[in-house]
Amino acid sequence: MAEQIPFSDVALATNPEPRCPCVLLIDTSGSMAEVVSGTGRDLGYTTQVDGKTYRAVSGGTTRIDLVNEGLRAYQADVTNDPLAAQRVEVSVVTFGDTVRTVTPFVTTSQFTPPVLTANGETPMGAAILKAIDAVTERKREYRQNGLHFYRPWIFLITDGEPTDAWEAAAARVREGEEKKQFAFFAVGVEGANMDRLKQISVRHPLHLKGYSFKEMFLWLSQSQRSVSHSNPGQEEQVKLAPPAGWASL
């Protein structure tokens, strides 16, 4: 009887290109369902979501809708680059009502952008730990398959602050950055606790300008495309475009 080989192992074995992995760590708490454009029909009552009070409406475009649009733009842009499409790997981890691995690591050529919904609180601490564990395991799989790889990225997007314990996650981020095990980036959407993000991220957190999610994801795509065209171990020499168009410090 033949042994069944997991799909991820088949993908690693059949694509010898070095890998450029990134975990998209996305806040899907209830506040990400806030309508930010479009009229929306007022339903005549208020609701408590993620510790905040909102007018209940139907229709309109929400923050999470714009995240979904950005994910589609990200996938389309990376796959326009044939080499990057084989080298850049993405995993989507969300944190809202719970922490979920929505998309395990897959090359962007095989990535289908998920349609995310928003609900619940903000278990950011647990989500960060899950992302760190994910990149640690993925690097083990690369080594097992004889693949070279670039320093992984963890890219956090949030409009709030942790509603769970976050200190252990912050310590893991500091340790991982010091040992160059991964690069951790934090982006705060309007309403995010930037002071808390500064306590978690070694790099200075970025503040999203308005709701420029699409521009942010395109910057991320183009940055990873640039890195993927370098040699593993030399990615620190790659000059990335400044995020001035979509973020501020």
Side-chain angles (χ1 to χ4, degrees), residues 2 10 17 21 27 34 61 93 103 105 142 148 157 171 174 223 226 229 243 248:
V10 172
E17 294 290 345
D27 184 345
E34 179 185 355
T61 300
V93 175
T103 306
F105 276 112
Y142 295 151
H148 297 289
I157 305 162
R174 287 193 297 272
S223 297
S226 296
H229 279 262
S248 60

Side-chain angles (χ1 to χ4, degrees), residues 7 17-18 46 50 54 56 67 76 128 137 143 153 174 184 190 205-206 211 223:
F7 174 76
E17 294 290 345
T46 60
D50 200 18
Y54 298 93
V67 170
I128 292 170
E137 172 62 16
R143 294 187 183 103
W153 284 22
R174 287 193 297 272
F184 185 91
E190 183 181 349
L206 297 172
Y211 298 107
S223 297

Side-chain angles (χ1 to χ4, degrees), residues 127-139:
I128 292 170
L129 293 174
K130 190 175 189 69
I132 293 173
D133 289 344
V135 298
T136 301
E137 172 62 16
R138 195 56 172 166
K139 289 191 293 184

Side-chain angles (χ1 to χ4, degrees), residues 17-37:
E17 294 290 345
R19 297 302 205 274
C20 180
C22 178
V23 177
L24 300 177
L25 195 52
I26 301 174
D27 184 345
T28 56
S29 61
S31 55
M32 290 292 284
E34 179 185 355
V35 173
V36 294
S37 66

Side-chain angles (χ1 to χ4, degrees), residues 128-192:
I128 292 170
L129 293 174
K130 190 175 189 69
I132 293 173
D133 289 344
V135 298
T136 301
E137 172 62 16
R138 195 56 172 166
K139 289 191 293 184
R140 186 194 67 79
E141 293 170 348
Y142 295 151
R143 294 187 183 103
Q144 188 175 41
N145 285 271
L147 296 179
H148 297 289
F149 56 89
Y150 303 84
R151 186 178 178 185
W153 284 22
I154 298 174
F155 199 83
L156 169 72
I157 305 162
T158 181
D159 71 342
E161 61 181 305
T163 53
D164 63 350
W166 55 270
E167 293 84 356
R172 289 280 300 277
V173 169
R174 287 193 297 272
E175 178 186 12
E177 288 274 20
E178 288 171 3
K179 295 180 177 179
K180 297 189 181 299
Q181 295 171 340
F182 54 80
F184 185 91
F185 300 84
V187 178
V189 183
E190 183 181 349

Side-chain angles (χ1 to χ4, degrees), residues 15-217:
N15 177 1
E17 294 290 345
R19 297 302 205 274
C20 180
C22 178
V23 177
L24 300 177
L25 195 52
I26 301 174
D27 184 345
T28 56
S29 61
S31 55
M32 290 292 284
E34 179 185 355
V35 173
V36 294
S37 66
T39 305
R41 183 172 64 86
D42 194 321
L43 298 179
Y45 61 91
T46 60
T47 181
Q48 284 280 333
V49 178
D50 200 18
K52 301 175 183 177
T53 302
Y54 298 93
R55 295 293 303 177
V57 300
S58 63
T61 300
T62 65
R63 296 181 180 195
I64 204 67
D65 291 334
L66 296 176
V67 170
N68 289 327
E69 178 188 2
L71 285 170
R72 292 190 293 271
Y74 167 85
Q75 189 272 344
D77 192 66
V78 179
T79 53
N80 275 336
D81 183 326
L83 183 62
Q86 294 301 313
R87 290 186 171 186
V88 176
E89 285 194 343
V90 61
S91 172
V92 178
V93 175
T94 61
F95 53 103
D97 55 341
T98 188
V99 178
R100 289 191 177 92
T101 300
V102 177
T103 306
F105 276 112
V106 64
T107 57
T108 48
S109 62
Q110 300 169 326
F111 175 53
T112 300
V115 178
L116 304 178
T117 57
N119 186 40
E121 296 189 335
T122 315
M124 190 188 302
I128 292 170
L129 293 174
K130 190 175 189 69
I132 293 173
D133 289 344
V135 298
T136 301
E137 172 62 16
R138 195 56 172 166
K139 289 191 293 184
R140 186 194 67 79
E141 293 170 348
Y142 295 151
R143 294 187 183 103
Q144 188 175 41
N145 285 271
L147 296 179
H148 297 289
F149 56 89
Y150 303 84
R151 186 178 178 185
W153 284 22
I154 298 174
F155 199 83
L156 169 72
I157 305 162
T158 181
D159 71 342
E161 61 181 305
T163 53
D164 63 350
W166 55 270
E167 293 84 356
R172 289 280 300 277
V173 169
R174 287 193 297 272
E175 178 186 12
E177 288 274 20
E178 288 171 3
K179 295 180 177 179
K180 297 189 181 299
Q181 295 171 340
F182 54 80
F184 185 91
F185 300 84
V187 178
V189 183
E190 183 181 349
N193 186 332
M194 300 303 291
D195 289 335
R196 181 70 74 235
L197 290 181
K198 290 175 185 176
Q199 294 177 283
I200 294 171
S201 178
V202 173
R203 288 176 175 77
H204 200 292
L206 297 172
H207 194 283
L208 191 71
K209 291 182 178 179
Y211 298 107
S212 304
F213 289 103
K214 184 176 180 180
E215 292 81 0
M216 176 193 69
F217 277 111

